[in-house]
């Protein structure tokens, strides 16, 4: 089956017996993400998690400072 990446619009031929092809048959085609975009999104998500932890740490320190002042 032909699938189109939702992010870069690249068309890829997916093996009909592949688990992802079976999954996509029951879902809209636009949920497909090519390997390159999947990698990019995963990296960005991890970056966001790291930033979130950093912000949480900073806000915790601020609360700590208010507590002891
Ligand atoms: Zn893509």
């Amino acid at each position: 089956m032909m699938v189109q990446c939702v992010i870069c619009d690249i068309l890829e031929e997916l093996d009909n017996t592949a688990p992802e092809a079976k999954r996509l048959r029951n879902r809209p085609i636009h949920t497909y993400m090519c390997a390159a975009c999947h990698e990019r999104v995963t990296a960005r998500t991890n970056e966001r998690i790291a930033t979130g932890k950093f912000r949480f740490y900073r806000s915790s320190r601020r609360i700590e400072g208010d507590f002891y002042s």
Side-chain angles (χ1 to χ4, degrees):
M1 69 188 281
M2 290 300 288
V3 288
Q4 188 172 27
C5 173
V6 65
I7 295 172
C8 67
D9 290 340
I10 197 171
L11 280 165
E12 285 187 347
E13 176 76 54
L14 206 62
D15 189 341
N16 280 323
T17 60
E20 183 149 41
K22 286 176 189 165
R23 190 171 64 85
L24 282 165
R25 263 198 294 273
N26 297 321
R27 292 173 185 208
I29 197 159
H30 63 257
T31 59
Y32 178 77
M33 237 191 284
C34 73
C37 287
H38 187 264
E39 207 172 286
R40 255 204 311 272
V41 168
T42 305
R44 216 179 295 158
T45 303
N46 289 339
E47 226 169 81
R48 206 155 42 214
I49 290 166
T51 307
K53 274 180 185 164
F54 181 62
R55 278 184 189 149
F56 175 73
Y57 172 76
R58 278 175 56 184
S59 71
S60 293
R61 293 291 296 175
R62 196 158 57 234
I63 290 161
E64 206 175 280
D66 291 345
F67 183 77
Y68 289 112
S69 61

